[in-house]
Amino acid sequence: MLLTIPEVFTPEQVAEIRRLLDQAEWVDGRVTAGHQSAQAKDNMQIPEGHPIAEKVGERILSTLGQNPLFITAALPVKVFPPLYNRYAGGQSFGTHVDNAIRHVKGTSHRVRSDLSATLFFSQPEEYDGGELVIEDTYGLHSVKLPAGHLVLYPSSSLHHVRPVTRGARVSSFFWIQSMIRQDAQRSLLFDLDLAIQNLNQERPDHKVAVQLTGVYHNLLRQWAEV
Ligand code: NI
């Protein structure tokens, strides 16, 4: 499933976060890349554990924790503390698959990456290129969203970031361990949840909604790892 979650942050909140991120020291992005992806990666990042990274990260996670679409789609168990990248001057990230297991620096915590997320902090008109291109069985999907919007996609998919040839592309990226490891099962639960919500809106108190909600929870009970 490839899903856009719009307006996670308002333009005012984006501007405030950008002010904070611009104050941080940015370093070569290869520090968080695995062996294979280090060869493909060319960008700048804020070091893990940097106070600004942690401050903004807490805002991102608390905001997403109250975002019904994010919760419904991701069914999160754990979220890796958000990281930040910046591409400019022709920088790009070649085709790769994200590492399966991420260690949270300085802790014994590990997160299995079921879903990858990119939260855009630059407006599309601020830069040329920089599209996140995700490959799946339906082909290539090019993603370039307004600032404050987030894209969620399976961490198992090949993806790359096209060269930024003008301006700068600033975003946050992180991984989610979902209660539902398999993308197909998670997508099915998401569709069922949306259908139940639509039914509740169009035919409030319809008794079928109770049955369908039962099916949703019984599937979740069978498949979930918490
Ligand atoms: Ni990646």
Side-chain angles (χ1 to χ4, degrees), residues 43-105:
N43 64 12
M44 301 296 278
Q45 281 183 205
I46 300 176
E48 273 182 85
H50 190 290
I52 290 177
E54 288 188 347
K55 184 177 176 180
V56 175
E58 281 164 19
R59 275 194 74 174
I60 293 172
L61 296 186
S62 67
T63 302
L64 285 175
Q66 295 161 33
N67 185 303
L69 185 57
F70 174 78
I71 300 292
T72 303
L75 296 170
V77 180
K78 296 187 222 171
V79 184
F80 194 88
L83 299 170
Y84 308 86
N85 57 23
R86 184 177 189 278
Y87 295 81
Q91 288 179 316
S92 64
F93 196 162
T95 302
H96 66 281
V97 167
D98 292 345
N99 284 2
I101 308 292
R102 310 295 312 203
H103 291 257
V104 182
K105 199 175 181 178

Coordinates of all heavy atoms in Angstrom, one line a residue, residues 43-105:
N43 N 23.4 12.6 0.4 CA 22.6 13.6 1.0 C 23.2 14.1 2.3 O 24.3 13.6 2.7 CB 21.1 13.2 1.1 CG 21.0 12.1 2.1 OD1 21.9 11.7 2.9 ND2 19.8 11.4 2.1
M44 N 22.5 15.0 3.0 CA 23.0 15.4 4.3 C 21.9 15.0 5.3 O 20.7 15.0 5.0 CB 23.1 17.0 4.3 CG 24.1 17.5 3.3 SD 25.8 17.0 3.6 CE 26.3 18.1 4.9
Q45 N 22.3 14.8 6.6 CA 21.4 14.4 7.6 C 21.7 15.1 8.9 O 22.9 15.5 9.1 CB 21.4 12.9 7.9 CG 20.7 12.1 6.9 CD 20.7 10.6 7.2 OE1 20.5 9.8 6.3 NE2 20.8 10.2 8.4
I46 N 20.8 15.2 9.8 CA 21.1 15.6 11.2 C 21.5 14.4 12.0 O 20.8 13.4 11.8 CB 19.8 16.3 11.8 CG1 19.4 17.5 11.0 CG2 20.1 16.7 13.2 CD1 18.2 18.2 11.5
P47 N 22.6 14.4 12.7 CA 23.0 13.2 13.4 C 21.9 12.7 14.4 O 21.2 13.5 15.0 CB 24.2 13.7 14.3 CG 24.7 14.9 13.6 CD 23.4 15.6 13.0
E48 N 21.8 11.3 14.5 CA 20.8 10.7 15.4 C 21.1 11.2 16.8 O 22.2 11.3 17.2 CB 21.0 9.2 15.3 CG 20.2 8.5 14.2 CD 20.4 7.0 14.3 OE1 19.7 6.3 15.0 OE2 21.3 6.5 13.5
G49 N 20.0 11.5 17.5 CA 20.2 11.9 18.9 C 20.5 13.3 19.1 O 20.6 13.8 20.2
H50 N 20.6 14.1 18.0 CA 20.8 15.6 18.1 C 19.6 16.1 18.8 O 18.4 15.7 18.5 CB 20.9 16.1 16.7 CG 21.3 17.5 16.6 ND1 20.5 18.6 17.0 CD2 22.5 18.1 16.2 CE1 21.1 19.7 16.8 NE2 22.4 19.5 16.4
P51 N 19.8 17.1 19.7 CA 18.6 17.7 20.5 C 17.5 18.2 19.6 O 16.3 18.0 19.9 CB 19.2 18.8 21.3 CG 20.7 18.5 21.3 CD 21.1 17.7 20.2
I52 N 17.9 18.8 18.5 CA 16.8 19.4 17.6 C 16.1 18.2 16.9 O 14.8 18.2 16.8 CB 17.4 20.3 16.5 CG1 17.9 21.6 17.2 CG2 16.4 20.6 15.4 CD1 18.5 22.6 16.3
A53 N 16.8 17.2 16.5 CA 16.2 16.0 15.9 C 15.2 15.3 16.9 O 14.1 15.0 16.6 CB 17.2 15.0 15.5
E54 N 15.6 15.3 18.2 CA 14.7 14.7 19.2 C 13.5 15.5 19.5 O 12.4 15.0 19.6 CB 15.5 14.4 20.5 CG 16.5 13.3 20.3 CD 17.2 12.8 21.6 OE1 17.1 13.6 22.6 OE2 17.8 11.8 21.6
K55 N 13.7 16.8 19.5 CA 12.6 17.8 19.8 C 11.5 17.7 18.7 O 10.3 17.5 18.9 CB 13.1 19.2 19.9 CG 12.1 20.2 20.3 CD 12.7 21.6 20.5 CE 11.7 22.6 20.8 NZ 12.2 23.9 21.0
V56 N 12.0 17.8 17.4 CA 11.1 17.7 16.3 C 10.5 16.3 16.2 O 9.3 16.2 15.9 CB 11.8 18.1 15.0 CG1 10.9 18.0 13.8 CG2 12.3 19.6 15.1
G57 N 11.3 15.3 16.5 CA 10.8 13.9 16.4 C 9.7 13.7 17.4 O 8.7 13.0 17.0
E58 N 9.8 14.2 18.6 CA 8.7 14.1 19.5 C 7.4 14.7 19.0 O 6.3 14.2 19.2 CB 9.1 14.6 20.9 CG 10.0 13.7 21.7 CD 10.7 14.4 22.8 OE1 10.2 15.5 23.3 OE2 11.7 13.8 23.3
R59 N 7.5 15.9 18.4 CA 6.4 16.5 17.8 C 5.7 15.7 16.7 O 4.5 15.6 16.6 CB 6.8 17.9 17.2 CG 6.8 19.0 18.3 CD 6.8 20.3 17.7 NE 5.6 20.8 17.1 CZ 5.4 22.0 16.6 NH1 6.4 22.9 16.7 NH2 4.2 22.3 16.1
I60 N 6.6 15.1 15.8 CA 6.1 14.3 14.7 C 5.3 13.1 15.3 O 4.2 12.8 14.9 CB 7.2 13.9 13.8 CG1 7.8 15.1 13.1 CG2 6.7 12.8 12.8 CD1 9.1 14.8 12.3
L61 N 5.9 12.4 16.3 CA 5.3 11.2 16.8 C 4.0 11.5 17.5 O 3.1 10.8 17.4 CB 6.3 10.4 17.6 CG 7.5 9.9 16.8 CD1 8.4 9.0 17.7 CD2 7.1 9.2 15.6
S62 N 4.0 12.6 18.3 CA 2.8 12.9 19.1 C 1.7 13.3 18.1 O 0.5 13.0 18.3 CB 3.0 13.9 20.2 OG 3.3 15.1 19.7
T63 N 2.0 14.0 17.1 CA 1.0 14.4 16.1 C 0.5 13.2 15.3 O -0.7 13.1 15.2 CB 1.6 15.5 15.1 OG1 2.1 16.6 15.8 CG2 0.6 16.0 14.1
L64 N 1.4 12.3 14.9 CA 0.9 11.2 14.2 C 0.1 10.2 15.1 O -0.8 9.5 14.6 CB 2.1 10.4 13.6 CG 2.7 11.0 12.3 CD1 4.0 10.3 11.9 CD2 1.7 11.1 11.2
G65 N 0.4 10.2 16.3 CA -0.3 9.4 17.3 C -1.8 9.8 17.4 O -2.6 9.0 17.9
Q66 N -2.1 11.0 17.0 CA -3.5 11.5 17.0 C -4.1 11.6 15.6 O -5.1 12.2 15.5 CB -3.5 12.8 17.7 CG -3.1 12.8 19.2 CD -2.7 14.2 19.7 OE1 -3.3 15.2 19.3 NE2 -1.8 14.2 20.6
N67 N -3.4 11.0 14.6 CA -3.9 11.1 13.3 C -4.6 9.8 12.9 O -3.9 8.8 12.7 CB -2.7 11.3 12.3 CG -3.1 11.6 10.9 OD1 -3.8 10.8 10.3 ND2 -2.7 12.7 10.3
P68 N -5.9 9.8 12.8 CA -6.7 8.6 12.6 C -6.3 7.8 11.3 O -6.2 6.6 11.4 CB -8.1 9.0 12.5 CG -8.2 10.4 13.1 CD -6.8 11.0 12.9
L69 N -6.0 8.6 10.3 CA -5.6 7.9 9.0 C -4.3 7.1 9.1 O -4.2 6.0 8.7 CB -5.6 8.9 7.9 CG -5.3 8.4 6.5 CD1 -6.4 7.4 6.1 CD2 -5.3 9.5 5.4
F70 N -3.3 7.8 9.8 CA -2.0 7.1 10.0 C -2.2 5.9 10.9 O -1.7 4.8 10.5 CB -1.1 8.1 10.7 CG 0.2 7.5 11.1 CD1 1.2 7.3 10.1 CD2 0.5 7.1 12.4 CE1 2.4 6.7 10.5 CE2 1.7 6.5 12.8 CZ 2.7 6.3 11.8
I71 N -3.0 6.0 12.0 CA -3.2 4.8 12.9 C -3.9 3.7 12.1 O -3.5 2.5 12.2 CB -4.0 5.2 14.1 CG1 -3.3 6.3 14.9 CG2 -4.3 4.0 15.0 CD1 -2.0 5.9 15.6
T72 N -4.9 4.0 11.4 CA -5.7 3.0 10.7 C -4.8 2.3 9.6 O -4.9 1.1 9.5 CB -6.9 3.7 9.9 OG1 -7.7 4.4 10.9 CG2 -7.8 2.7 9.2
A73 N -4.0 3.1 8.9 CA -3.2 2.5 7.8 C -2.0 1.8 8.3 O -1.7 0.7 7.8 CB -2.8 3.6 6.9
A74 N -1.3 2.3 9.3 CA -0.1 1.7 9.7 C -0.2 0.7 10.8 O 0.6 -0.2 11.0 CB 0.9 2.8 10.2
L75 N -1.2 0.8 11.7 CA -1.4 -0.1 12.8 C 0.0 -0.2 13.6 O 0.5 -1.3 13.7 CB -2.0 -1.4 12.4 CG -3.4 -1.4 11.8 CD1 -3.8 -2.7 11.2 CD2 -4.4 -1.0 12.9
P76 N 0.5 0.9 14.0 CA 1.9 0.9 14.5 C 2.1 0.2 15.9 O 1.2 0.3 16.7 CB 2.2 2.4 14.6 CG 0.9 3.0 14.8 CD -0.1 2.2 14.1
V77 N 3.2 -0.5 16.0 CA 3.6 -1.0 17.3 C 4.7 -0.1 17.8 O 4.7 0.3 18.9 CB 4.1 -2.5 17.2 CG1 4.6 -2.9 18.6 CG2 3.1 -3.4 16.7
K78 N 5.7 0.1 16.9 CA 6.9 0.9 17.3 C 7.2 1.8 16.1 O 7.0 1.4 14.9 CB 8.1 0.1 17.5 CG 8.1 -0.9 18.7 CD 9.4 -1.5 18.9 CE 9.4 -2.9 19.2 NZ 10.7 -3.6 19.1
V79 N 7.7 3.0 16.4 CA 8.1 3.9 15.3 C 9.6 4.3 15.6 O 9.9 4.7 16.8 CB 7.2 5.2 15.2 CG1 7.7 6.0 14.0 CG2 5.8 4.8 15.1
F80 N 10.4 4.2 14.6 CA 11.8 4.6 14.8 C 11.9 6.1 15.0 O 11.1 6.9 14.3 CB 12.6 4.2 13.5 CG 14.1 4.3 13.7 CD1 14.8 3.1 14.2 CD2 14.8 5.4 13.4 CE1 16.2 3.2 14.3 CE2 16.2 5.4 13.6 CZ 16.9 4.3 14.0
P81 N 12.7 6.6 15.9 CA 12.8 8.1 16.1 C 13.1 8.8 14.7 O 14.1 8.4 14.1 CB 13.9 8.3 17.1 CG 14.0 7.0 17.8 CD 13.6 5.9 16.8
P82 N 12.3 9.7 14.3 CA 12.4 10.3 13.0 C 13.9 10.9 12.7 O 14.5 11.5 13.6 CB 11.4 11.5 13.0 CG 10.3 11.0 13.9 CD 11.1 10.2 15.0
L83 N 14.3 10.7 11.5 CA 15.6 11.2 11.0 C 15.2 12.3 10.0 O 14.1 12.4 9.6 CB 16.4 10.1 10.4 CG 16.8 9.0 11.3 CD1 17.4 7.8 10.5 CD2 17.8 9.4 12.4
Y84 N 16.2 13.1 9.5 CA 16.0 14.2 8.7 C 17.0 14.2 7.6 O 18.2 14.0 7.8 CB 16.1 15.5 9.5 CG 15.2 15.4 10.7 CD1 15.7 14.9 11.9 CD2 13.9 15.8 10.6 CE1 14.9 14.7 13.0 CE2 13.1 15.7 11.7 CZ 13.6 15.1 12.9 OH 12.8 14.9 14.0
N85 N 16.6 14.5 6.3 CA 17.6 14.6 5.3 C 17.4 15.8 4.4 O 16.3 16.4 4.4 CB 17.7 13.3 4.4 CG 16.4 12.9 3.8 OD1 15.5 13.7 3.6 ND2 16.2 11.6 3.5
R86 N 18.4 16.2 3.8 CA 18.4 17.4 2.9 C 19.2 17.1 1.7 O 20.3 16.6 1.7 CB 19.1 18.5 3.7 CG 19.1 19.9 3.0 CD 19.8 20.9 4.0 NE 19.6 22.2 3.4 CZ 20.4 22.8 2.5 NH1 21.4 22.0 2.0 NH2 20.2 24.0 2.0
Y87 N 18.6 17.3 0.5 CA 19.2 17.1 -0.8 C 19.3 18.4 -1.5 O 18.3 19.2 -1.5 CB 18.4 16.2 -1.7 CG 18.2 14.7 -1.2 CD1 17.3 14.4 -0.2 CD2 19.0 13.7 -1.7 CE1 17.1 13.1 0.2 CE2 18.8 12.4 -1.3 CZ 17.8 12.1 -0.3 OH 17.7 10.8 0.1
A88 N 20.5 18.7 -2.0 CA 20.7 20.0 -2.8 C 21.9 19.7 -3.8 O 22.6 18.7 -3.6 CB 21.0 21.2 -1.9
G89 N 22.0 20.6 -4.7 CA 23.2 20.6 -5.6 C 23.4 19.3 -6.3 O 24.5 18.8 -6.4
G90 N 22.3 18.7 -6.8 CA 22.4 17.4 -7.6 C 22.4 16.2 -6.8 O 22.5 15.1 -7.3
Q91 N 22.3 16.3 -5.4 CA 22.3 15.1 -4.6 C 21.1 14.2 -4.8 O 20.0 14.7 -5.2 CB 22.4 15.5 -3.1 CG 23.7 16.1 -2.7 CD 23.8 16.5 -1.2 OE1 22.8 17.1 -0.7 NE2 24.8 16.1 -0.5
S92 N 21.3 12.9 -4.6 CA 20.2 11.9 -4.9 C 20.5 10.7 -4.0 O 21.5 10.6 -3.3 CB 20.3 11.5 -6.4 OG 21.5 10.8 -6.6
F93 N 19.6 9.8 -4.1 CA 19.7 8.5 -3.4 C 19.3 7.4 -4.4 O 18.1 7.3 -4.8 CB 18.9 8.5 -2.1 CG 19.2 7.4 -1.1 CD1 18.8 7.5 0.2 CD2 20.0 6.3 -1.4 CE1 19.1 6.5 1.2 CE2 20.3 5.3 -0.5 CZ 19.8 5.5 0.8
G94 N 20.3 6.6 -4.8 CA 20.0 5.6 -5.8 C 19.1 4.5 -5.3 O 18.7 4.4 -4.1
T95 N 18.7 3.6 -6.2 CA 17.7 2.5 -5.9 C 18.2 1.6 -4.8 O 19.3 1.2 -4.8 CB 17.4 1.7 -7.2 OG1 17.0 2.6 -8.2 CG2 16.4 0.7 -6.9
H96 N 17.4 1.4 -3.8 CA 17.7 0.5 -2.7 C 16.5 0.0 -2.0 O 15.4 0.5 -2.2 CB 18.6 1.3 -1.7 CG 17.9 2.4 -1.0 ND1 17.6 3.7 -1.6 CD2 17.3 2.5 0.2 CE1 17.0 4.4 -0.8 NE2 16.7 3.8 0.3
V97 N 16.7 -0.9 -1.1 CA 15.6 -1.4 -0.2 C 16.1 -1.0 1.2 O 17.3 -1.2 1.5 CB 15.3 -2.9 -0.3 CG1 14.5 -3.4 0.9 CG2 14.7 -3.2 -1.6
D98 N 15.2 -0.5 2.1 CA 15.6 -0.1 3.4 C 16.0 -1.3 4.2 O 15.5 -2.4 4.1 CB 14.5 0.7 4.1 CG 14.3 2.0 3.5 OD1 15.1 2.5 2.7 OD2 13.2 2.6 3.7
N99 N 17.0 -1.2 5.2 CA 17.4 -2.3 6.1 C 16.1 -2.8 6.8 O 15.3 -2.0 7.2 CB 18.4 -1.8 7.1 CG 19.8 -1.6 6.5 OD1 20.0 -1.8 5.3 ND2 20.7 -1.2 7.3
A100 N 16.1 -4.1 7.1 CA 14.9 -4.7 7.7 C 14.8 -4.4 9.2 O 13.7 -4.2 9.7 CB 15.0 -6.2 7.5
I101 N 16.0 -4.3 9.8 CA 16.0 -4.1 11.3 C 16.8 -2.9 11.6 O 17.9 -2.8 11.1 CB 16.6 -5.3 12.0 CG1 15.9 -6.7 11.6 CG2 16.5 -5.1 13.6 CD1 14.5 -6.8 12.0
R102 N 16.2 -1.9 12.3 CA 16.9 -0.7 12.7 C 17.2 -0.7 14.2 O 16.2 -0.9 15.0 CB 16.1 0.5 12.3 CG 15.5 0.6 10.9 CD 16.5 0.7 9.8 NE 17.6 1.6 9.9 CZ 18.3 2.1 8.9 NH1 18.0 1.8 7.6 NH2 19.3 2.9 9.1
H103 N 18.4 -0.4 14.6 CA 18.7 -0.3 16.0 C 18.6 1.2 16.3 O 19.1 2.0 15.6 CB 20.1 -0.7 16.3 CG 20.3 -2.2 16.1 ND1 20.4 -3.1 17.2 CD2 20.4 -3.0 15.0 CE1 20.5 -4.3 16.7 NE2 20.5 -4.3 15.4
V104 N 18.0 1.5 17.4 CA 17.9 2.9 17.9 C 19.2 3.2 18.6 O 19.5 2.5 19.6 CB 16.7 3.1 18.8 CG1 16.6 4.6 19.2 CG2 15.4 2.7 18.1
K105 N 19.9 4.1 18.1 CA 21.3 4.4 18.6 C 21.3 4.7 20.1 O 20.5 5.4 20.6 CB 21.8 5.7 17.8 CG 23.3 5.8 17.9 CD 23.8 7.0 17.0 CE 25.3 7.1 17.1 NZ 25.8 8.1 16.3

